[in-house]
Amino acid sequence: MPKVVLKGHIVVPETDLASVLAELPTHIALTHEEEGCLRFEVKQNPETGNVFSVYEEFSDRVAFEAHQRRVQASVWGKITVNAERHYQVTEAGSTGGWRR
């Protein structure tokens, strides 16, 4: 099975920014512990503090989808419900992708 890569960014409403910043270290730590997580980075843009770049690599679609389910049920999922997500998801070796 090919590796799955997600890259893009999220835009967090100013009203949610403090909660997102407080929860981000836990979200990153929990994701790093997930089976199939190869790389996971979320970084705040220093110039526009409410924009975060996101880069994820999972060993396969099964691991990626398990991550998505965990996130939806997590504190992170609840506090980022209003964030705008701008992602491209591709499988290694493919030329196209799908949007989330």
Side-chain angles (χ1 to χ4, degrees), residues 2 13 15 19 22 24-25 29 43 47 84 88 95-96 100:
T15 55
S19 298
L24 183 56
K43 296 180 181 177
E47 294 174 14
E84 293 176 24
Q88 182 173 10
T95 57
R100 278 196 49 82

Side-chain angles (χ1 to χ4, degrees), residues 61-74:
R61 183 180 292 267
V62 172
F64 176 76
E65 290 177 355
H67 167 70
Q68 295 300 313
R69 286 189 301 275
R70 184 197 63 80
V71 168
Q72 288 178 359
S74 72

Side-chain angles (χ1 to χ4, degrees), residues 28-40:
I28 291 170
L30 289 173
T31 301
H32 283 160
E33 293 174 3
E34 291 177 20
E35 186 171 333
C37 177
L38 303 174
R39 187 170 165 194
F40 185 79

Side-chain angles (χ1 to χ4, degrees), residues 3-44:
K3 154 173 92 169
V4 175
V5 176
L6 177 149
K7 56 185 167 181
H9 68 279
I10 62 172
V11 181
V12 176
E14 292 292 333
T15 55
D16 298 337
L17 189 55
S19 298
V20 166
L21 288 170
E23 185 61 24
L24 183 56
T26 299
H27 175 56
I28 291 170
L30 289 173
T31 301
H32 283 160
E33 293 174 3
E34 291 177 20
E35 186 171 333
C37 177
L38 303 174
R39 187 170 165 194
F40 185 79
E41 299 173 1
V42 179
K43 296 180 181 177
Q44 185 179 25

